[in-house]
Every structure is written in C-alpha cells, then in structure tokens.
Amino acid sequence: MDYEPSESKVRCLLIRIPLVALIATACHVAGCGTLGPASVQRDRTDYGTVIATTWKEQTLLNIVKLRYGDAPVYLEVSSVISSSAMESQVSLGANWFSGLPIDGNSQSIGASGRYTDRPTISYTPLSGERFSRYLLQPLSPAAVFSLVQAGYPVDRVLQLTTRAINGVYNRSTSPARARAADPRFYQLLEALRRIQRSESLGMRINQRMSDESVLVIVTRDVSEKVENDRHAVREILHLRPDTSELKLTFGMVQRDDTEIALLTRSMSEIFLELAATIEAPPLHMQEGRANPAPAAPDPASPWDAPLVRIHSSAERPADAYAAVHYRDYWFWIDDRDMKSKSEFLFILVLFSLAETGVAPQAPVITVPAN
C-alpha cells in the first residue's frame, strides 16, 4: 500500500530541521556565555609576558648602542586598553506553495558572527626631566642600602652601584673612567659578604634630612671570625669602632669617622660599565665602529669578571634569555648563565628604583563595555 504524506506533515518536517539548526548555530556563535572573564584571563598573561620581554630587549639594545656610541632610546608602555566585542546574528526564512509535490517549497537559514579586538597601547618616550631622573641622576645612598636591608647580596649591590665608599674606589671599565679597583675595595666586599651570610649584622635606615640618612647598625654576639671581619670593615672605611649610628651621605670622602660617604653611579654609568665588556664582533673592533675593550687588570681578580656576559653572533642564538638584532649581528645573554641573568634582572630592579619624585598621573579613559 503506497503512503503519500499529507501537506501538513511535510510542513512540520520542513520546519523542524531548520529550528534545530537555528538553536545549535545561535549557541555556537554567541558562545552561550560572556566574553569579559575569558578575555581577562587571556589578555593579562599575554600582555604581561610581552611587556616583560620587550623591557629586557629594550634595555639590552640600549646597552649595546652605548658600546657603539649610539644614542639610547627608551619608550615606556604607559597604558594598555583592550576593547573586545562579539556580535552574532541568526536568520530563518521559509516559503510554501499551496500544492504538492514538496519540490516547490523553499527554506533558508543563515548565521553570521563577528569578533573585534581593538587594543590601544600608549608609549611614552623618556625625555626631559624624567630622562634626567632615570639615567643621569646618581642613585640615592639610602636606596642602595635599602636593597641590602631587603636581602639583596651586599657585595653585588655595592659592586654594581658604587664608584667609591669613603674614598676607596671600585673598578671602572667605561672609557671615560677606566681604572683598576683599589685592592681594599674587594677586601671590603668579601668581608661584608661573610658578615651578611652569618646573619650577625642588622641595619635600618632613618631619614634625617633630604640629603642625609642615618644607618643604624644592630649587632649581636658573633664568632671571632665575624668579629675580625667587622673590625676590617671599620678599618678600611676609617669608622669609629664603638659607634652604632653612621651618617649616610652622597660624596667622595667622609667628613668624620661616623660617616659613610657613598659615591654612587647613575643608571647611565651602570649601562656604560656593562657596555664596555660586551663581546663585540672582531670586525667591528678592527674597523673602529665600537669602543675598544678595557684592558685586563694586573693582577687579575675574580671580581674583575664581567658583571653580565653579553655575546655576539652572526646567527640568531637558539637558547637566549634576551636577544636583540643590531648592525647585522645578534647580541644576547645565554639562558644558561644564571649569574648574568640574575645580575641583569637586578639592573631592571635598579632601573625602576631610579625613578624619584611624584609619578605622573595617567589620563582617565572610559571604554564602553560590549
């Protein structure tokens, strides 16, 4: 017996299929949720990673430029505004004719979606007064000892940030100030490092005037070896043996035996020190395109090794902590060189610490929520 579907049943069949597709398509396009929380999880990590990476690369590039006598350029990412929007649209249409066969009927279904991401990133060039504060102004002696108080190794902090302590000079590799270190300076660093590791020396900094702080030394009973180191430190720096409060000032020489005069470096000086020990390509050295390498000290000391080893190669390095391309060469820090990596990270911390005064207020921007 032949079965011929009625017109009403055919219509029900034709309508049911588009409706199922309509619901599935709408849920797929709209995501059956909101875009906001997911974008925070994605964007915060991605933007943070990229900003940190480019910060390292910009600092490394400017150090390399100083070796070649080029002007450094600093751009800060002052704001990142990400505005995202998702739009979806679903349409359904059907036409039926009065008679059979069903070939005369027509249906249509359509869906469309659009995703828009318009990030607004603002860059602020470092110039004028802010350039002077960041790069040309020497670090504050109180800020230097605050790093020691916070737990940073005292020998690394003083070797990197100071030119002299109470007239005892550090080594300099920059072309303008090239000189060997006073042997007592390295003795001072070694004694201070042993004292810090013994955890027998505590300190706090009290601000007294705008240009003077008081370094309060807190001591306890120590072993004979540590006591000898403490005596050696006071002897090298010509400090009174019985005082526990020392004035902390910026200067070349001390005014009396209760003062620590710290001749600190600026960030520009620190960058020049690092630039002088870059392993520049021999061809550039022969052609006079880069400043010559500093002479090796005699006698040599482990303290005279480069603070950060920056290599160069014609090919892009496969395993680099930070790498920049400059004058057809790659300059990079090896990711397996933990000493150079930690020192470079410390320099980035110092760069942030060099900012003084009132921070400029960022403009208030209203972004519509989509």
Side-chain angles (χ1 to χ4, degrees):
M1 175 173 134
D2 296 334
Y3 173 75
E4 185 175 346
S6 65
E7 184 177 351
S8 61
K9 290 182 179 181
V10 171
R11 290 179 180 177
C12 291
L13 179 63
L14 294 175
I15 294 174
R16 187 179 301 167
I17 296 174
L19 285 178
V20 173
L22 169 65
I23 296 172
T25 306
C27 288
H28 176 72
V29 175
C32 293
T34 60
L35 183 64
S39 65
V40 172
Q41 185 177 17
R42 181 193 68 243
D43 294 347
R44 189 167 187 173
T45 301
D46 292 347
Y47 280 117
T49 301
V50 171
I51 290 174
T53 301
T54 54
W55 188 22
K56 293 189 300 183
E57 292 173 351
Q58 178 179 242
T59 303
L60 177 59
L61 178 60
N62 284 325
I63 291 173
V64 173
K65 283 183 175 182
L66 289 173
R67 179 63 181 272
Y68 285 81
D70 283 352
V73 177
Y74 295 89
L75 286 177
E76 287 188 327
V77 180
S78 56
S79 66
V80 178
I81 301 171
S82 181
S83 176
S84 303
M86 177 179 284
E87 298 177 3
S88 60
Q89 182 178 358
V90 178
S91 61
L92 174 65
N95 294 315
W96 287 270
F97 298 96
S98 58
L100 294 174
I102 60 174
D103 293 340
N105 301 325
S106 64
Q107 305 84 31
S108 64
I109 183 171
S112 64
R114 183 176 65 178
Y115 173 74
T116 305
D117 187 11
R118 296 189 181 94
T120 302
I121 303 174
S122 301
Y123 299 96
T124 304
L126 202 61
S127 60
E129 182 183 357
R130 296 184 68 244
F131 183 89
S132 176
R133 286 202 308 265
Y134 267 107
L135 293 176
L136 304 183
Q137 182 172 311
L139 296 170
S140 164
V144 170
F145 273 92
S146 294
L147 291 170
V148 178
Q149 187 181 10
Y152 284 91
V154 61
D155 51 329
R156 282 177 51 196
V157 172
L158 295 180
Q159 185 186 17
L160 184 65
T161 63
T162 60
R163 290 166 53 196
I165 307 176
N166 283 5
V168 182
Y169 273 83
N170 188 8
R171 183 190 180 213
S172 177
T173 57
S174 66
R177 293 193 177 96
R179 60 162 294 158
D182 190 319
R184 296 177 299 164
F185 189 85
Y186 293 156
Q187 295 173 14
L188 175 67
L189 295 184
E190 291 170 354
L192 288 172
R193 180 175 60 181
R194 290 192 294 265
I195 293 172
Q196 186 183 43
R197 288 179 176 177
S198 70
E199 296 187 356
S200 60
L201 177 65
M203 64 179 68
R204 69 174 184 268
I205 300 172
N206 298 333
Q207 195 71 29
R208 181 172 290 179
M209 294 184 297
S210 59
D211 60 343
E212 183 178 291
S213 303
V214 175
L215 184 65
V216 181
I217 307 297
V218 182
T219 59
R220 61 178 178 84
D221 294 336
V222 296
S223 64
E224 183 179 355
K225 290 183 178 180
V226 176
E227 183 61 37
N228 290 337
D229 285 332
R230 286 164 55 179
H231 178 75
V233 169
R234 292 181 178 271
E235 184 177 1
I236 293 172
L237 298 180
H238 307 290
L239 298 174
R240 187 184 302 172
D242 57 347
T243 184
S244 61
E245 291 191 3
L246 301 169
K247 296 188 294 290
L248 188 61
T249 60
F250 175 84
M252 187 180 300
V253 294
Q254 63 190 136
R255 290 171 291 189
D256 55 52
D257 57 3
T258 63
E259 182 179 79
I260 295 181
L262 221 62
L263 189 60
T264 57
R265 289 169 171 162
S266 64
M267 289 307 303
S268 178
E269 289 181 76
I270 292 174
F271 289 163
L272 283 169
E273 294 290 333
L274 300 180
T277 58
I278 292 175
E279 298 175 7
L283 178 62
H284 290 178
M285 302 289 292
Q286 295 172 5
E287 296 177 346
R289 300 182 185 276
N291 287 321
D298 186 23
S301 167
W303 292 98
D304 296 324
L307 295 172
V308 178
R309 292 191 179 275
I310 301 175
H311 309 277
S312 64
S313 59
E315 302 295 330
R316 181 167 189 164
D319 193 7
Y321 169 70
V324 293
H325 193 248
Y326 181 73
R327 297 201 177 199
D328 298 328
Y329 277 83
W330 285 94
F331 295 83
W332 50 282
I333 300 172
D334 196 328
D335 193 51
R336 295 160 294 189
D337 186 353
M338 283 303 303
K339 179 180 180 298
S340 295
K341 287 167 57 177
S342 60
E343 201 74 36
F344 194 78
L345 176 61
F346 180 55
I347 291 167
L348 297 179
V349 173
L350 283 177
F351 199 27
S352 299
L353 192 64
E355 168 67 355
T356 57
V358 179
Q361 298 295 321
V364 178
I365 303 176
T366 302
V367 180
N370 296 288

